[in-house]
Amino acid sequence: MQEENAAMAAMQAHLVENQEIQARLIKQLQTKREPQPTQKDRGEILRALLVANGGKMLEKEARQKMHLSKSQFSQLLAAMQDHIEVKPYHIDKRKKILILK
């Protein structure tokens, strides 16, 4: 009986620790992060590219010109969400257009 109680107490302590870790990770995800130095440089390049194209550009075209993978470009757009807006293209809703704010 005492072994079962000890096992239950250990399990409960482990669950409490997991909940604390999960709460900390959720808080980290909810806080706004500053872009990394390379993201700042790439962000400036993307903004210059959009300015050169009149403030609007297809997402795929911008990604290809910058020679970034889809995941890298997605992270860059997430970091630049205050400066760049992403909307579906009015002609083809499958494509996305980047608009300078």
Side-chain angles (χ1 to χ4, degrees):
M1 190 74 158
Q2 289 180 353
E3 292 175 3
E4 290 178 9
N5 286 340
M8 293 276 282
M11 177 70 88
Q12 188 173 6
H14 183 70
L15 290 175
V16 169
E17 183 182 351
N18 281 345
Q19 287 176 341
E20 290 171 357
I21 292 170
Q22 289 174 348
R24 188 176 70 241
L25 290 174
I26 289 170
K27 187 175 180 179
Q28 285 177 354
L29 289 173
Q30 289 175 342
T31 59
K32 192 170 182 179
R33 295 186 207 160
E34 290 294 319
Q36 298 293 323
T38 56
Q39 286 178 328
K40 286 183 182 179
D41 296 341
R42 288 178 179 165
E44 291 173 8
I45 292 169
L46 180 57
R47 288 185 69 176
L49 191 61
L50 287 172
V51 167
N53 285 301
K56 294 182 181 182
M57 189 173 196
L58 286 174
E59 181 183 37
K60 182 177 180 181
E61 188 178 326
R63 181 180 61 80
Q64 288 174 343
K65 284 192 179 200
M66 293 182 69
H67 302 286
L68 294 175
S69 68
K70 289 182 180 181
S71 63
Q72 288 175 322
F73 197 72
S74 175
Q75 290 174 349
L76 176 61
L77 288 178
M80 297 292 297
Q81 67 186 9
D82 293 340
H83 306 287
I84 296 172
E85 187 175 355
V86 181
K87 288 188 175 182
Y89 190 41
H90 69 281
I91 296 174
D92 187 352
K93 299 291 183 186
R94 296 172 296 174
K95 297 180 181 178
K96 295 179 184 175
I97 192 161
L98 305 176
I99 302 170
L100 203 57
K101 286 186 179 178

